[in-house]
């Protein structure tokens, strides 16, 4: 079945450092790919998405590019802030499906 | 309301007792989902409601789990005869239509601890 594998955490960075969280997927066909973020004490929020190969999703300085050839959707941010401390989840769904398959989540802590 | 509301936020129960978890979706959202987040694991799909259609219950882990959605709005997830392995955070989400591309809005979850 469809699945997502993302790098294990926790990840600890200093402010203004570069962040990458790796995500690879296994799916039949061409799934839609998502990154969700969970800030402390809050529910998950959609951070960005990409629905077809070579699409780049972006939001709040974060970017991820849908790479069909490497079945990857790595999340990047060039200069992190303390407020980016959160748990990040990679997820996928089959085309027009309603179910999301989530990775295990990566905890990111940014220190001032 | 402005967001998805879940109650209670925390629940500690004794093994063997029944529990009910409540979800108030965003007004007008036709789709409602329940997921479970166990420690160190990703989110596990439990059940999906869409309008008046029959729910997709394929993710419910056992017949001790059931859910209903009344009037196309509020949903209740019931766990009967709770076991310690049921301890997890139960997340509810809603979206304005069928299909994940609409984007889910999640509630803050109910943390269930079975002792």
């Amino acid at each position: 079945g469809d699945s997502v594998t993302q790098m294990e955490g926790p990840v600890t960075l200093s402010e203004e450092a570069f962040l990458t969280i790796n995500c690879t997927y296994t799916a039949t066909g061409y799934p839609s790919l998502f990154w969700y973020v969970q800030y402390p004490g809050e529910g998950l929020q959609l951070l960005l998405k990409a629905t077809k190969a070579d699409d780049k999703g972006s939001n709040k300085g974060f970017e991820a590019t849908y790479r069909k050839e490497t079945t990857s959707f790595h999340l990047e941010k060039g200069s992190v802030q303390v407020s980016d401390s959160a748990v990040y989840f990679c997820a996928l769904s089959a085309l027009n499906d309603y179910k999301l398959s989530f990775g295990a989540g990566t905890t990111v802590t940014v220190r001032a | 309301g402005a967001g998805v509301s879940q109650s209670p936020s925390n629940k500690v129960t004794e093994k063997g007792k029944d529990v009910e978890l409540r979800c108030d979706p965003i007004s007008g959202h036709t789709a409602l989902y329940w997921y479970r987040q166990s420690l160190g694991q990703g989110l596990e799909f439990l059940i999906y409601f869409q309008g008046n259609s029959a729910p997709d219950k394929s993710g419910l882990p056992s017949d001790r789990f059931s859910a209903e959605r009344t009037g196309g709005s509020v949903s209740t997830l019931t766990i009967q005869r709770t076991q310690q392995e049921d301890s997890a955070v139960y997340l509810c989400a809603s979206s304005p239509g069928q299909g994940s591309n609409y984007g889910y809005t999640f509630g803050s979850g109910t943390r269930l601890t079975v002792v």
Side-chain angles (χ1 to χ4, degrees), chain B residues 99-111:
Chain B
S100 59
N101 287 346
Y102 283 95
Y104 293 11
T105 300
F106 280 87
S108 297
T110 294
R111 181 175 298 278

Side-chain angles (χ1 to χ4, degrees), chain A residues 79-111:
Chain A
S79 177
V80 294
Q81 304 300 312
V82 173
S83 57
D84 293 324
S85 298
V87 183
Y88 293 83
F89 293 89
C90 187
L92 70 79
S93 72
L95 184 63
N96 293 324
D97 194 3
Y98 48 80
K99 291 183 198 175
L100 286 172
S101 296
F102 286 87
T106 301
T107 300
V108 173
T109 302
V110 181
R111 295 183 173 168

Side-chain angles (χ1 to χ4, degrees), chain A residues 32 34 36 38 41-44 49 51 89 93 97-100 102-104, chain B residues 33 35 37 41-43 45 48 56 58 91 98-101 104 106-108:
Chain A
S32 294
F34 307 83
Y36 277 79
Q38 186 175 29
E42 299 183 15
L44 275 78
K49 68 179 183 182
T51 58
F89 293 89
S93 72
D97 194 3
Y98 48 80
K99 291 183 198 175
L100 286 172
F102 286 87
Chain B
Y33 314 78
Y35 280 77
Q37 184 178 16
Q41 300 184 24
L43 279 72
F45 169 79
Y48 163 73
D56 177 354
S58 61
L91 294 167
Q98 181 172 341
S100 59
N101 287 346
Y104 293 11
F106 280 87
S108 297

Side-chain angles (χ1 to χ4, degrees), chain A residues 1-2 7 10-11 17 27 33 40 44 48 54 58 60 62-63 68-69 73 77 81 84 93 109:
Chain A
D2 297 349
M7 65 183 283
V11 174
L33 301 172
L44 275 78
L48 53 84
D54 300 325
S58 61
K60 299 183 179 180
F62 289 89
E63 292 184 339
K68 186 166 72 73
E69 62 277 12
F73 193 55
K77 185 172 185 180
Q81 304 300 312
D84 293 324
S93 72
T109 302

